[in-house]
Amino acid sequence: MTATLLAALAVFACSAATWISATVQTTLEPVTVDVAGSEAAPAVTALGLVAAAGALTTAISGRVLRPVVSVVVVLAGLGALAASVAVLADPTGAARTAVGESTGMVNAGGEFALTPWPWLAAVAAVLVALCGAWALLAGRSWTAARRYERTGTEPAAGGPARDGDEIDSWDALTEGRDPTA
């Protein structure tokens, strides 16, 4: 679970960095626009958060919910990988909107240089998917956190019932008796 959480947070952190540095020739002079991963591939940011939430949910989920959450984590990792690869394959298309907003020029030509961050996001996304797959396979043998599950046992004879009268318990305390005895 910790590895999944760290990998998911790495995906999210990578999306905050500059992925593309575009130098565009305007009518007056060249303009450099830095495009963050959250602008170039907004899905990476969202899927990083989904994977982080899934990693935390895996820790408290029971036997029925854990495989479902693990599949969601795997899909979040694969989705973040696909979005990162799309930016790697076409940095010009990924930066087009941000460059257009900054320069006021639609389809401006220029140089679009990738930074290492989309590559690191892709690697972290693969790690998220692998951790989710591992949780799916190995999670069957994990014990669930007991505090979140109902045991189904009845109270002992003579003890207070769970849905009993709370006023009687307070009255017993007032009279100096132990209401749990």
Side-chain angles (χ1 to χ4, degrees), residues 109-154:
E111 294 180 29
F112 295 83
L114 286 169
T115 65
W117 291 106
W119 293 98
L120 293 173
V123 169
V126 167
L127 289 175
V128 166
L130 290 175
C131 288
W134 176 77
L136 182 62
L137 297 175
R140 296 177 191 155
S141 63
W142 297 344
T143 57
R146 286 296 194 203
R147 76 180 115 171
Y148 300 109
E149 293 182 8
R150 180 174 279 189
T151 60
T153 60
E154 295 299 321

CSV table of all heavy atoms in Angstrom, one decimal, residues 109-154:
chain,number,residue,atom,x,y,z
A,109,GLY,N,3.7,28.0,-35.0
A,109,GLY,CA,4.8,27.1,-35.2
A,109,GLY,C,6.0,27.5,-34.3
A,109,GLY,O,6.0,28.6,-33.8
A,110,GLY,N,6.9,26.6,-34.1
A,110,GLY,CA,8.0,26.8,-33.3
A,110,GLY,C,8.7,25.6,-32.8
A,110,GLY,O,8.4,24.5,-33.4
A,111,GLU,N,9.5,25.7,-31.8
A,111,GLU,CA,10.2,24.5,-31.3
A,111,GLU,C,9.5,24.1,-30.0
A,111,GLU,O,9.2,24.9,-29.1
A,111,GLU,CB,11.6,24.9,-31.0
A,111,GLU,CG,12.4,25.2,-32.2
A,111,GLU,CD,13.9,25.5,-31.8
A,111,GLU,OE1,14.3,25.0,-30.8
A,111,GLU,OE2,14.5,26.3,-32.5
A,112,PHE,N,9.2,22.8,-29.9
A,112,PHE,CA,8.5,22.2,-28.7
A,112,PHE,C,9.4,21.2,-28.1
A,112,PHE,O,9.5,20.1,-28.7
A,112,PHE,CB,7.1,21.6,-29.1
A,112,PHE,CG,6.2,22.7,-29.6
A,112,PHE,CD1,6.2,23.1,-30.9
A,112,PHE,CD2,5.2,23.2,-28.8
A,112,PHE,CE1,5.3,24.0,-31.4
A,112,PHE,CE2,4.3,24.2,-29.2
A,112,PHE,CZ,4.4,24.6,-30.5
A,113,ALA,N,10.1,21.5,-27.0
A,113,ALA,CA,11.0,20.6,-26.4
A,113,ALA,C,10.4,20.0,-25.2
A,113,ALA,O,9.9,20.6,-24.3
A,113,ALA,CB,12.3,21.4,-26.0
A,114,LEU,N,10.6,18.7,-25.1
A,114,LEU,CA,10.1,17.9,-23.9
A,114,LEU,C,11.1,18.0,-22.8
A,114,LEU,O,12.3,17.9,-23.1
A,114,LEU,CB,9.8,16.5,-24.3
A,114,LEU,CG,8.6,16.2,-25.1
A,114,LEU,CD1,8.6,14.7,-25.7
A,114,LEU,CD2,7.3,16.4,-24.3
A,115,THR,N,10.6,18.0,-21.6
A,115,THR,CA,11.5,17.9,-20.4
A,115,THR,C,11.4,16.5,-20.0
A,115,THR,O,10.6,15.7,-20.5
A,115,THR,CB,11.0,18.9,-19.3
A,115,THR,OG1,9.7,18.4,-18.9
A,115,THR,CG2,10.9,20.3,-19.8
A,116,PRO,N,12.2,16.1,-19.0
A,116,PRO,CA,12.1,14.7,-18.5
A,116,PRO,C,10.9,14.3,-17.7
A,116,PRO,O,10.6,13.2,-17.5
A,116,PRO,CB,13.3,14.6,-17.5
A,116,PRO,CG,14.2,15.7,-17.9
A,116,PRO,CD,13.4,16.8,-18.4
A,117,TRP,N,10.1,15.3,-17.3
A,117,TRP,CA,8.9,15.0,-16.5
A,117,TRP,C,7.9,14.1,-17.1
A,117,TRP,O,7.3,13.3,-16.3
A,117,TRP,CB,8.3,16.4,-16.0
A,117,TRP,CG,9.2,17.0,-15.0
A,117,TRP,CD1,10.0,18.2,-15.3
A,117,TRP,CD2,9.5,16.6,-13.7
A,117,TRP,NE1,10.7,18.5,-14.2
A,117,TRP,CE2,10.4,17.6,-13.2
A,117,TRP,CE3,9.1,15.6,-12.9
A,117,TRP,CZ2,10.9,17.5,-11.9
A,117,TRP,CZ3,9.6,15.5,-11.6
A,117,TRP,CH2,10.5,16.4,-11.1
A,118,PRO,N,7.5,14.2,-18.4
A,118,PRO,CA,6.5,13.3,-18.9
A,118,PRO,C,7.0,11.8,-18.9
A,118,PRO,O,6.3,10.9,-18.7
A,118,PRO,CB,6.2,13.8,-20.3
A,118,PRO,CG,7.2,14.7,-20.6
A,118,PRO,CD,7.8,15.3,-19.3
A,119,TRP,N,8.3,11.7,-19.0
A,119,TRP,CA,8.9,10.3,-19.0
A,119,TRP,C,8.8,9.8,-17.5
A,119,TRP,O,8.5,8.6,-17.3
A,119,TRP,CB,10.4,10.4,-19.4
A,119,TRP,CG,10.6,10.7,-20.9
A,119,TRP,CD1,10.9,11.9,-21.4
A,119,TRP,CD2,10.4,9.8,-21.9
A,119,TRP,NE1,10.9,11.8,-22.8
A,119,TRP,CE2,10.6,10.5,-23.1
A,119,TRP,CE3,10.1,8.4,-22.0
A,119,TRP,CZ2,10.6,9.9,-24.4
A,119,TRP,CZ3,10.0,7.8,-23.3
A,119,TRP,CH2,10.3,8.6,-24.4
A,120,LEU,N,9.1,10.7,-16.6
A,120,LEU,CA,9.1,10.2,-15.2
A,120,LEU,C,7.6,9.9,-14.8
A,120,LEU,O,7.3,9.0,-14.0
A,120,LEU,CB,9.6,11.3,-14.2
A,120,LEU,CG,11.2,11.5,-14.4
A,120,LEU,CD1,11.6,12.7,-13.6
A,120,LEU,CD2,11.9,10.3,-14.0
A,121,ALA,N,6.7,10.7,-15.3
A,121,ALA,CA,5.3,10.4,-15.0
A,121,ALA,C,4.8,9.1,-15.6
A,121,ALA,O,4.1,8.3,-15.0
A,121,ALA,CB,4.4,11.6,-15.6
A,122,ALA,N,5.3,8.8,-16.8
A,122,ALA,CA,5.0,7.5,-17.4
A,122,ALA,C,5.6,6.3,-16.6
A,122,ALA,O,4.9,5.3,-16.4
A,122,ALA,CB,5.6,7.4,-18.8
A,123,VAL,N,6.8,6.5,-16.1
A,123,VAL,CA,7.4,5.4,-15.2
A,123,VAL,C,6.6,5.3,-13.9
A,123,VAL,O,6.3,4.1,-13.5
A,123,VAL,CB,8.9,5.8,-15.0
A,123,VAL,CG1,9.5,4.8,-13.9
A,123,VAL,CG2,9.7,5.7,-16.2
A,124,ALA,N,6.2,6.4,-13.3
A,124,ALA,CA,5.5,6.3,-12.1
A,124,ALA,C,4.1,5.7,-12.3
A,124,ALA,O,3.6,5.0,-11.5
A,124,ALA,CB,5.3,7.7,-11.5
A,125,ALA,N,3.5,6.0,-13.5
A,125,ALA,CA,2.2,5.4,-13.8
A,125,ALA,C,2.3,3.9,-14.0
A,125,ALA,O,1.4,3.1,-13.6
A,125,ALA,CB,1.6,6.1,-15.1
A,126,VAL,N,3.4,3.4,-14.6
A,126,VAL,CA,3.6,2.0,-14.7
A,126,VAL,C,3.7,1.4,-13.3
A,126,VAL,O,3.2,0.3,-13.0
A,126,VAL,CB,4.9,1.7,-15.6
A,126,VAL,CG1,5.3,0.2,-15.4
A,126,VAL,CG2,4.6,2.1,-17.0
A,127,LEU,N,4.4,2.1,-12.4
A,127,LEU,CA,4.6,1.5,-11.0
A,127,LEU,C,3.2,1.5,-10.3
A,127,LEU,O,2.9,0.5,-9.6
A,127,LEU,CB,5.5,2.4,-10.3
A,127,LEU,CG,7.0,2.3,-10.6
A,127,LEU,CD1,7.8,3.3,-9.9
A,127,LEU,CD2,7.5,0.9,-10.4
A,128,VAL,N,2.4,2.5,-10.6
A,128,VAL,CA,1.0,2.5,-10.0
A,128,VAL,C,0.3,1.3,-10.5
A,128,VAL,O,-0.4,0.5,-9.7
A,128,VAL,CB,0.3,3.8,-10.3
A,128,VAL,CG1,-1.2,3.6,-10.0
A,128,VAL,CG2,0.8,4.9,-9.6
A,129,ALA,N,0.3,1.0,-11.8
A,129,ALA,CA,-0.4,-0.1,-12.4
A,129,ALA,C,0.1,-1.5,-11.8
A,129,ALA,O,-0.7,-2.4,-11.5
A,129,ALA,CB,-0.3,-0.1,-13.9
A,130,LEU,N,1.4,-1.6,-11.7
A,130,LEU,CA,2.0,-2.8,-11.1
A,130,LEU,C,1.7,-3.0,-9.7
A,130,LEU,O,1.4,-4.1,-9.3
A,130,LEU,CB,3.5,-2.8,-11.3
A,130,LEU,CG,4.1,-2.9,-12.8
A,130,LEU,CD1,5.6,-2.8,-12.8
A,130,LEU,CD2,3.6,-4.2,-13.3
A,131,CYS,N,1.7,-1.9,-8.9
A,131,CYS,CA,1.3,-2.0,-7.5
A,131,CYS,C,-0.2,-2.4,-7.3
A,131,CYS,O,-0.5,-3.2,-6.5
A,131,CYS,CB,1.6,-0.7,-6.8
A,131,CYS,SG,3.3,-0.4,-6.5
A,132,GLY,N,-1.0,-1.9,-8.2
A,132,GLY,CA,-2.4,-2.2,-8.2
A,132,GLY,C,-2.6,-3.7,-8.5
A,132,GLY,O,-3.5,-4.4,-7.9
A,133,ALA,N,-1.9,-4.2,-9.5
A,133,ALA,CA,-2.0,-5.6,-9.9
A,133,ALA,C,-1.5,-6.5,-8.8
A,133,ALA,O,-2.1,-7.5,-8.5
A,133,ALA,CB,-1.2,-5.8,-11.2
A,134,TRP,N,-0.4,-6.1,-8.1
A,134,TRP,CA,0.1,-6.8,-7.0
A,134,TRP,C,-0.9,-6.9,-5.9
A,134,TRP,O,-1.2,-7.9,-5.3
A,134,TRP,CB,1.4,-6.2,-6.5
A,134,TRP,CG,1.9,-6.9,-5.3
A,134,TRP,CD1,2.5,-8.1,-5.2
A,134,TRP,CD2,1.8,-6.5,-3.9
A,134,TRP,NE1,2.8,-8.5,-3.9
A,134,TRP,CE2,2.4,-7.5,-3.1
A,134,TRP,CE3,1.3,-5.4,-3.3
A,134,TRP,CZ2,2.5,-7.3,-1.7
A,134,TRP,CZ3,1.3,-5.2,-2.0
A,134,TRP,CH2,1.9,-6.2,-1.2
A,135,ALA,N,-1.6,-5.8,-5.6
A,135,ALA,CA,-2.6,-5.7,-4.5
A,135,ALA,C,-3.8,-6.6,-4.9
A,135,ALA,O,-4.4,-7.3,-4.1
A,135,ALA,CB,-3.1,-4.3,-4.3
A,136,LEU,N,-4.1,-6.7,-6.2
A,136,LEU,CA,-5.2,-7.5,-6.7
A,136,LEU,C,-4.9,-9.0,-6.4
A,136,LEU,O,-5.7,-9.8,-6.0
A,136,LEU,CB,-5.5,-7.3,-8.2
A,136,LEU,CG,-6.6,-8.0,-8.8
A,136,LEU,CD1,-7.9,-7.7,-8.2
A,136,LEU,CD2,-6.6,-7.7,-10.3
A,137,LEU,N,-3.6,-9.4,-6.7
A,137,LEU,CA,-3.2,-10.8,-6.6
A,137,LEU,C,-2.9,-11.2,-5.1
A,137,LEU,O,-3.4,-12.2,-4.6
A,137,LEU,CB,-2.0,-11.1,-7.4
A,137,LEU,CG,-2.2,-10.9,-9.0
A,137,LEU,CD1,-0.9,-11.1,-9.7
A,137,LEU,CD2,-3.3,-11.9,-9.4
A,138,ALA,N,-2.2,-10.3,-4.4
A,138,ALA,CA,-1.7,-10.7,-3.1
A,138,ALA,C,-2.8,-10.3,-2.0
A,138,ALA,O,-2.7,-10.7,-0.9
A,138,ALA,CB,-0.4,-10.0,-2.8
A,139,GLY,N,-3.7,-9.4,-2.3
A,139,GLY,CA,-4.6,-8.8,-1.4
A,139,GLY,C,-5.6,-9.8,-0.8
A,139,GLY,O,-6.2,-9.6,0.2
A,140,ARG,N,-5.7,-11.0,-1.5
A,140,ARG,CA,-6.7,-12.0,-1.0
A,140,ARG,C,-6.3,-12.5,0.4
A,140,ARG,O,-7.1,-13.0,1.2
A,140,ARG,CB,-6.7,-13.1,-2.0
A,140,ARG,CG,-7.3,-12.7,-3.3
A,140,ARG,CD,-7.3,-13.9,-4.3
A,140,ARG,NE,-7.6,-13.3,-5.6
A,140,ARG,CZ,-7.3,-13.9,-6.7
A,140,ARG,NH1,-6.6,-15.0,-6.7
A,140,ARG,NH2,-7.6,-13.4,-7.9
A,141,SER,N,-5.0,-12.5,0.7
A,141,SER,CA,-4.5,-13.1,1.9
A,141,SER,C,-4.3,-12.1,3.0
A,141,SER,O,-4.0,-12.4,4.1
A,141,SER,CB,-3.1,-13.8,1.7
A,141,SER,OG,-2.2,-12.9,1.3
A,142,TRP,N,-4.5,-10.8,2.7
A,142,TRP,CA,-4.4,-9.8,3.8
A,142,TRP,C,-5.6,-9.8,4.7
A,142,TRP,O,-6.7,-10.1,4.3
A,142,TRP,CB,-4.3,-8.4,3.1
A,142,TRP,CG,-3.2,-8.2,2.2
A,142,TRP,CD1,-2.0,-8.9,2.1
A,142,TRP,CD2,-3.0,-7.1,1.3
A,142,TRP,NE1,-1.2,-8.4,1.2
A,142,TRP,CE2,-1.8,-7.3,0.6
A,142,TRP,CE3,-3.8,-6.1,0.9
A,142,TRP,CZ2,-1.3,-6.4,-0.3
A,142,TRP,CZ3,-3.4,-5.2,-0.1
A,142,TRP,CH2,-2.1,-5.4,-0.7
A,143,THR,N,-5.3,-9.5,6.0
A,143,THR,CA,-6.4,-9.5,6.9
A,143,THR,C,-6.9,-8.1,6.9
A,143,THR,O,-6.2,-7.1,6.8
A,143,THR,CB,-5.9,-9.8,8.3
A,143,THR,OG1,-4.8,-8.9,8.7
A,143,THR,CG2,-5.4,-11.2,8.4
A,144,ALA,N,-8.2,-8.0,7.1
A,144,ALA,CA,-8.9,-6.7,7.1
A,144,ALA,C,-8.8,-6.0,8.4
A,144,ALA,O,-8.6,-6.7,9.5
A,144,ALA,CB,-10.4,-6.9,6.7
A,145,ALA,N,-8.9,-4.8,8.4
A,145,ALA,CA,-9.0,-4.0,9.7
A,145,ALA,C,-10.3,-4.3,10.4
A,145,ALA,O,-11.3,-4.1,9.8
A,145,ALA,CB,-8.8,-2.5,9.4
A,146,ARG,N,-10.2,-4.8,11.6
A,146,ARG,CA,-11.4,-5.3,12.3
A,146,ARG,C,-12.3,-4.2,12.8
A,146,ARG,O,-13.5,-4.3,13.0
A,146,ARG,CB,-11.0,-6.1,13.5
A,146,ARG,CG,-10.5,-7.5,13.1
A,146,ARG,CD,-11.6,-8.2,12.5
A,146,ARG,NE,-11.4,-9.6,12.3
A,146,ARG,CZ,-12.0,-10.3,11.5
A,146,ARG,NH1,-12.9,-9.7,10.7
A,146,ARG,NH2,-11.8,-11.6,11.4
A,147,ARG,N,-11.8,-3.0,13.0
A,147,ARG,CA,-12.6,-2.0,13.6
A,147,ARG,C,-13.7,-1.5,12.6
A,147,ARG,O,-14.6,-0.8,13.0
A,147,ARG,CB,-11.7,-0.8,14.1
A,147,ARG,CG,-11.2,0.1,13.0
A,147,ARG,CD,-10.4,1.2,13.5
A,147,ARG,NE,-9.0,0.9,13.0
A,147,ARG,CZ,-8.0,1.7,13.1
A,147,ARG,NH1,-8.2,2.8,13.8
A,147,ARG,NH2,-6.9,1.4,12.6
A,148,TYR,N,-13.5,-1.8,11.4
A,148,TYR,CA,-14.5,-1.3,10.4
A,148,TYR,C,-15.5,-2.4,10.0
A,148,TYR,O,-16.3,-2.2,9.1
A,148,TYR,CB,-13.8,-0.9,9.1
A,148,TYR,CG,-12.9,0.3,9.4
A,148,TYR,CD1,-11.5,0.1,9.3
A,148,TYR,CD2,-13.4,1.5,9.7
A,148,TYR,CE1,-10.7,1.2,9.5
A,148,TYR,CE2,-12.5,2.6,10.0
A,148,TYR,CZ,-11.2,2.4,9.9
A,148,TYR,OH,-10.3,3.5,10.1
A,149,GLU,N,-15.4,-3.6,10.7
A,149,GLU,CA,-16.3,-4.7,10.4
A,149,GLU,C,-17.2,-5.0,11.6
A,149,GLU,O,-16.7,-5.0,12.7
A,149,GLU,CB,-15.5,-5.9,9.9
A,149,GLU,CG,-14.8,-5.7,8.6
A,149,GLU,CD,-14.1,-6.9,8.1
A,149,GLU,OE1,-14.2,-8.0,8.7
A,149,GLU,OE2,-13.4,-6.8,7.1
A,150,ARG,N,-18.4,-5.4,11.3
A,150,ARG,CA,-19.3,-5.9,12.4
A,150,ARG,C,-19.0,-7.3,12.7
A,150,ARG,O,-18.8,-8.1,11.8
A,150,ARG,CB,-20.7,-5.7,12.0
A,150,ARG,CG,-21.7,-6.1,13.0
A,150,ARG,CD,-23.1,-5.8,12.6
A,150,ARG,NE,-23.3,-4.4,12.9
A,150,ARG,CZ,-24.4,-3.8,12.8
A,150,ARG,NH1,-25.5,-4.4,12.4
A,150,ARG,NH2,-24.5,-2.5,13.1
A,151,THR,N,-18.8,-7.7,14.0
A,151,THR,CA,-18.5,-9.0,14.3
A,151,THR,C,-19.7,-10.0,14.3
A,151,THR,O,-19.5,-11.2,14.1
A,151,THR,CB,-17.8,-9.1,15.7
A,151,THR,OG1,-18.8,-8.6,16.7
A,151,THR,CG2,-16.6,-8.3,15.8
A,152,GLY,N,-20.9,-9.5,14.6
A,152,GLY,CA,-22.1,-10.3,14.6
A,152,GLY,C,-22.3,-11.0,15.9
A,152,GLY,O,-23.2,-11.8,16.0
A,153,THR,N,-21.5,-10.8,16.9
A,153,THR,CA,-21.7,-11.5,18.2
A,153,THR,C,-22.7,-10.7,19.0
A,153,THR,O,-22.8,-9.5,18.9
A,153,THR,CB,-20.4,-11.6,18.9
A,153,THR,OG1,-19.9,-10.3,19.2
A,153,THR,CG2,-19.4,-12.4,18.2
A,154,GLU,N,-23.4,-11.5,19.8
A,154,GLU,CA,-24.4,-10.9,20.7
A,154,GLU,C,-23.7,-10.5,22.0
A,154,GLU,O,-22.8,-11.1,22.4
A,154,GLU,CB,-25.6,-11.9,20.9
A,154,GLU,CG,-26.3,-12.2,19.7
A,154,GLU,CD,-27.0,-10.9,19.1
A,154,GLU,OE1,-27.5,-10.1,19.9
A,154,GLU,OE2,-27.0,-10.8,17.9
